[in-house]
Amino acid sequence: MNTNRPVQVGVDYYPEHWAPAMWEQDARLMAKSGVQIVRVGEFAWSRMEPANGQFQWGWLDQAIDTLHRHGLQVVIGTPTMTPPRWLTAQCPDILPVLPHGQTYHEGVRGHRCYNSPSMRKYSSRIVQKLTERYARHPAVIGWQTDNEFSFTDCQCSACADAFRKWVRSRYNTLEQLNQAWGTVIWSGEYSDWEQITPPYGGSPFQNPSFLLDYSRFQSDSIASFQHLQLEIIRYNGPEHFVTHNFHSYPQKADQYKIAQELDFASFDYYPNPSPNKTETAPYSGALALDLTRGIKRRNFWIMEQLSGPPGCWFPMWRTPKPGFLRAYSWQTIARGADAVVHFRWRSATGGAEQFWHGLIDHSNVPGRRFKEFQQLCTEVNKLGERLQGSTLHNEVAILHSHDQLNALQIQPQAEGLEYYENMKVWHRALTKLGISTDVIHSSEALDGYKMIIAPHLYLLDENTANRLQGFAAAGGILVLTHRSGVKNDNNVCVMASLPGLLSACSGVRVTEYDPVGVDPIQIRDEQGHTYAASQWADVLELSTAQAIAVYADQFYAESAAVTRNSWGKGEVYYVATQPEEAYLSQLLRTIGEQGSLSEIQSLPDGVQVTTRSGPNGTFRFILNLSPQPASISLKASYTSALDGNTKGPLLELGPYDIEILEIQ
C-alpha cells in the first residue's frame, strides 16, 4: 500500500445526482483543469442497494469507468452514514435513541447507532459488496470510511448492553467500579451490573466519572464500528490506503482512537471567509490543520475543502474573495496536506445542502472561483512531485487530549475557561512569531522537541507526569498552566496540593485559587508592563521557582502569576492565570530565544510561515491569509518555486497572496 504520493488536487463528485450524460463532460473538464483525484460514493447507499440484497452497480461502474478514461484517480467512501429508508424501516434498531428518549429519524444523515446489531450486519455487507467489486478497478486508489464520525449520544438497548460490557471489562468488579467512580456520593453505588446504563437524560449534573467514561465508550464504539469496515477493506484491497474525514474541532469524539488503524487522517476544512472572521480564521484553521497532522503524526489529506459560500445548517456565509480559495488550499499543503479535495465539483440543485456551494454554481457555468481553482491545480501539479515525501519538522509541540476536553466540558471550571479556546491562544501566539508547531496527543513521545506546552492537564497520571518531568530534566522547556493535576484519570479529584504530580518540577504549590471567570484582572512582568488576564488565578507558594510576572491587583497582588524553575538541564514554566495574547507572545518570544528556537520573527497579521522538507528539497511557504497587503523581511534572496524568479530580501504579498521559496 503506497501512501507516498505527489501532492495533488481533487474534487468530491456525486454522479448519482446528475444525469449520466453529464458525467463525460464533467470528467473531461476535471482532467483539463488539472484535477487528479475524485471522491465518490459516501452517501449513495440507496443507489447501490435500492432494496434488501438487490445491488445495482451499473451506474457506479459507468461513472468510475468514465473518470478512469480521463486519467482520474478515485477514492470511494463507504456509505454507512446514510442507511437507506428500506433498511431503517426493516430494522428500526438502527436509529439512535437520544438522551431523553426521542428517536433520531431519517431525513438528513448520521441516523445510525454504532452498536446496533442490524447496522453492523448490513454495513458489513454493503462494504463487502462494494470492495469486492471495486478493489481491483485500476482507477481506485483508496477508501474513506463513513463520513465525519461524531457522537450520536445514542442510549438504546444495544448501547446499554455494550456500555455494560465495556464497564465490566474496564473495572472487573463492582467494588472497583464504585471506588473508581466515587459512587458513594448521593447513594449512587451499584450493587448489580444490570444497574449500569447510559445517562438516560435526567439531570445533566451526573457523576463526572460516569459521564467521562460514557464519552470514552462512545469513541470506542465508533472505533469498533469502523474496525468492521477496515477488516473487509484491507482483505479485499490490501494495496489501498484507508482514511477517514474528521471535521469541526473541538470534537468530543476521540480522533486518536478512531484513527489508530487508519493509514493517515483526513480533515474537512471550511475556513470562514466572512469579514468578521478574517482576523481569526487563519489561526483557527492553522490549529485545526496542525492537530490533524498530529493525529497520526504524519501528513494528511483534506477530503473536503471550501469551494464557495456554505449554507445549510446556518444562513450562507460571504462568498470567498479573489485569492481566498487558492491561499487557504496552499495553507493546508504548507501544514502537511498531501491532497486537497474540494467540496464539491458542482452545487447541488436539491436537498438540504443545495446552498453549500461547489466550484461550479447552479448555472453550470464555470466562473471566477472555478478559474482560481484551475490556477491552484496548475501550481500544485507543477510542484507536486517535488513536494512528494516532504513534511514539517518542528521544535515545539502543544499537547492535546479529548479526555481533557470532555472532562472540562462535563464540569466547567470558570466562565470563559474553555480547553480548546485557550489552546487556540497559545497556538496563535506561536504562529504569529513564525514558530511552526505540532499538536500531539499527551501520551505521545516527546523526543526531538525543544519546547512542550501542556495546557490544562486537568486529568493527570503518573506516566504523563514522569514523561514531562523527564523531558525537562533532559534539557527541554516545559510550559504548564493552571488547572493541572486536579484529577486522576477516573475524573476524581486528588488529595494533594496542585499542580499535584507536577509540583516538584514546577517548583510551586497552589495554596488557593480564584475562578475569576470573565472578571478582568491584571498581571505585571519584570519590566513593569501590565497585561490583562481572566478566567482563573492560582495563588502560588514558591519553593524553588522564581516569579517572572506577578498579579497587579486583587487580594493576592504582588504574588507570583508566572514562574520559571530550573529542573535538571531544562526549565519548567507555570502560568497561573490566563493572560492576554500579548503577554503570551512576549513570554514565548523570550523563552524561544533563550531556547535557541529557529526562525522567530513577528509576522504581519494573517501572514503564516511554515517549512516542508524532504528528499527533493526544502520549501518555505509564506502565505498572506489576509484581505490586506503585507510585506515580510527575509534573511536573503531566494528562488521562487512558483515562477523561478528571485524574491527578497523584502517580500511583498498582495491580499490572499502566497509565495513558496526554495531554501538551500
Side-chain angles (χ1 to χ4, degrees):
M1 169 256 307
N2 178 23
T3 59
N4 183 15
R5 299 172 178 274
V7 176
Q8 296 175 315
V9 177
V11 295
D12 298 306
Y13 188 58
Y14 300 94
E16 68 272 23
H17 296 180
W18 312 109
M22 298 179 67
W23 301 347
E24 178 70 28
Q25 64 189 48
D26 284 339
R28 185 184 303 113
L29 183 56
M30 289 176 194
K32 181 181 178 182
S33 299
V35 170
Q36 301 287 334
I37 299 165
V38 182
R39 183 191 70 174
V40 301
E42 76 275 12
F43 297 132
W45 193 340
S46 67
R47 283 294 174 95
M48 296 175 184
E49 188 182 7
N52 188 4
Q54 299 178 20
F55 298 96
Q56 293 187 0
W57 302 112
W59 68 275
L60 190 53
D61 290 348
Q62 181 184 347
I64 294 178
D65 287 346
T66 300
L67 296 170
H68 177 55
R69 192 166 58 253
H70 288 276
L72 299 164
Q73 303 166 91
V74 174
V75 175
I76 300 178
T78 63
T80 49
M81 194 190 198
T82 53
R85 291 182 185 273
W86 65 258
L87 179 54
T88 54
Q90 178 179 312
C91 304
D93 65 291
I94 285 175
L95 298 174
V97 177
L98 302 178
H100 288 279
Q102 309 99 319
T103 298
Y104 182 16
H105 286 284
E106 314 92 337
V108 184
R109 61 189 192 187
H111 50 280
R112 79 297 199 214
C113 167
Y114 302 115
N115 291 302
S116 159
S118 299
M119 186 62 196
R120 289 179 167 232
K121 171 185 173 181
Y122 288 96
S123 293
S124 296
R125 188 175 74 176
I126 189 65
V127 174
Q128 176 70 29
K129 296 292 186 180
L130 187 63
T131 53
E132 281 178 349
R133 189 162 191 93
Y134 297 110
R136 297 290 179 265
H137 195 290
V140 177
I141 59 171
W143 302 82
Q144 173 192 293
T145 59
D146 203 269
N147 181 78
E148 297 182 341
F149 280 134
S150 61
F151 285 179
T152 60
D153 286 319
C154 182
Q155 302 185 6
C156 69
S157 59
C159 285
D161 290 341
F163 181 53
R164 194 173 296 116
K165 292 176 183 176
W166 186 94
V167 171
R168 195 163 188 167
S169 67
R170 185 177 178 91
Y171 295 106
N172 297 317
T173 69
L174 287 170
E175 290 75 18
Q176 290 180 24
L177 171 63
N178 285 318
Q179 178 66 31
W181 284 2
T183 57
V184 68
I185 308 296
W186 291 347
S187 291
E189 291 170 294
Y190 295 92
S191 57
D192 190 286
W193 290 108
E194 291 302 311
Q195 295 166 2
I196 297 168
T197 68
Y200 284 157
S203 171
F205 308 108
Q206 300 192 47
N207 184 305
S209 302
F210 159 63
L211 293 177
L212 181 58
D213 266 351
Y214 199 73
S215 74
R216 289 166 170 159
F217 157 74
Q218 289 194 80
S219 289
D220 285 348
S221 297
I222 296 172
S224 174
F225 175 73
Q226 179 180 247
H227 178 75
L228 297 174
Q229 300 190 29
L230 289 170
E231 285 191 314
I232 297 168
I233 295 169
R234 294 202 190 282
Y235 181 81
N236 289 327
E239 302 303 316
H240 290 164
F241 66 77
V242 189
T243 187
H244 176 78
N245 57 328
F246 297 105
H247 74 110
S248 183
Y249 304 126
Q251 175 70 234
K252 286 185 176 182
D254 192 330
Q255 289 100 331
Y256 303 98
K257 284 184 178 179
I258 297 167
Q260 191 168 6
E261 295 187 87
L262 299 174
D263 294 306
F264 55 85
S266 294
F267 181 57
D268 293 349
Y269 187 36
Y270 293 100
N272 195 326
S274 298
N276 64 339
K277 297 291 185 180
T278 56
E279 292 184 5
T280 58
Y283 301 103
S284 299
L287 174 57
L289 297 171
D290 288 346
L291 194 160
T292 304
R293 190 179 66 254
I295 290 174
K296 296 287 290 183
R297 298 192 77 170
R298 66 184 65 158
N299 286 8
F300 57 95
W301 277 31
I302 296 297
M303 201 60 82
E304 297 180 16
Q305 175 77 8
L306 182 79
S307 296
C312 176
W313 324 104
F314 41 75
M316 281 183 277
W317 293 350
R318 292 285 298 274
T319 198
K321 291 183 178 179
F324 187 99
L325 299 181
R326 169 178 175 257
Y328 274 90
S329 293
W330 274 115
Q331 184 199 27
T332 72
I333 297 170
R335 293 185 177 272
D338 283 342
V340 189
V341 181
H342 285 248
F343 184 90
R344 49 192 283 168
W345 175 251
R346 181 186 295 106
S347 303
T349 56
E353 283 192 330
Q354 57 191 287
F355 293 113
W356 198 289
H357 290 74
L359 293 165
I360 302 174
D361 290 334
H362 297 122
S363 65
N364 202 30
V365 178
R368 173 186 63 83
R369 298 195 314 278
F370 189 81
K371 292 178 182 178
E372 187 174 316
F373 172 74
Q374 290 177 311
Q375 178 187 355
L376 171 71
C377 290
T378 299
E379 293 172 343
V380 173
N381 289 337
K382 177 183 176 181
L383 293 178
E385 290 188 359
R386 299 186 66 194
L387 292 172
Q388 183 173 351
S390 68
T391 191
L392 291 83
H393 302 280
N394 293 329
E395 300 172 322
V396 178
I398 298 176
L399 301 189
H400 172 253
S401 162
H402 289 279
D403 275 356
Q404 309 290 2
L405 171 73
N406 289 330
L408 286 165
Q409 287 185 340
I410 288 168
Q411 288 181 303
Q413 298 293 285
E415 189 175 0
L417 197 165
E418 296 184 23
Y419 177 73
Y420 192 76
E421 290 301 313
N422 286 346
M423 188 178 296
K424 279 184 182 180
V425 183
W426 284 100
H427 189 273
R428 185 165 61 239
L430 289 163
T431 303
K432 288 183 177 181
L433 288 171
I435 301 174
S436 189
T437 306
D438 290 341
V439 181
I440 63 174
H441 192 266
S442 56
S443 65
E444 289 282 351
L446 308 177
D447 303 343
Y449 292 113
K450 292 183 178 180
M451 182 193 299
I452 296 293
I453 300 172
H456 305 314
L457 294 174
Y458 181 68
L459 310 174
L460 184 63
D461 58 63
E462 288 190 11
N463 180 56
T464 300
N466 290 338
R467 287 189 305 106
L468 292 172
Q469 291 180 104
F471 168 78
I477 300 167
L478 173 63
V479 181
L480 303 171
T481 77
H482 54 285
R483 304 320 281 151
S484 291
V486 178
K487 295 190 175 192
N488 63 21
D489 269 354
N490 291 321
N491 210 9
V492 172
C493 290
V494 298
M495 293 183 67
S497 295
L498 301 180
L501 296 170
L502 296 170
S503 292
C505 72
S506 62
V508 304
R509 183 174 74 89
V510 178
T511 59
E512 65 174 310
Y513 47 71
D514 185 4
V516 297
V518 296
D519 294 338
I521 61 174
Q522 288 192 322
I523 63 173
R524 186 176 65 249
D525 67 13
E526 293 176 296
Q527 289 72 44
H529 303 128
T530 59
Y531 298 88
S534 62
Q535 300 181 17
W536 197 266
D538 281 335
V539 181
L540 301 178
E541 177 181 275
L542 308 189
S543 53
T544 56
Q546 294 180 323
I548 59 173
V550 298
Y551 294 107
D553 55 12
Q554 311 302 315
F555 69 87
Y556 34 86
E558 304 306 321
S559 68
V562 183
T563 64
R564 179 180 60 238
N565 189 52
S566 296
W567 182 255
K569 298 179 181 178
E571 290 185 322
V572 179
Y573 290 78
Y574 188 85
V575 183
T577 184
Q578 186 64 35
E580 63 175 298
E581 185 182 324
Y583 176 78
L584 293 183
S585 180
Q586 69 90 3
L587 173 67
L588 290 168
R589 174 185 284 277
T590 300
I591 295 174
E593 290 173 347
Q594 293 174 349
S596 300
L597 295 184
S598 58
E599 303 298 335
I600 299 176
Q601 58 184 318
S602 294
L603 297 173
D605 287 345
V607 174
Q608 297 181 4
V609 178
T610 55
T611 302
R612 284 180 62 150
S613 58
N616 301 314
T618 297
F619 301 87
R620 182 152 301 151
F621 296 78
I622 304 175
L623 315 174
N624 181 17
L625 303 172
S626 161
Q628 305 300 324
S631 61
I632 179 173
S633 295
L634 307 175
K635 291 183 178 180
S637 296
Y638 300 92
T639 301
S640 168
L642 288 173
D643 59 22
N645 294 327
T646 300
K647 302 293 175 72
L650 182 66
L651 181 63
E652 301 282 355
L653 295 171
Y656 300 117
D657 196 6
I658 73 149
E659 188 54 81
I660 304 172
L661 303 176
E662 299 185 47
I663 307 299
Q664 302 300 321

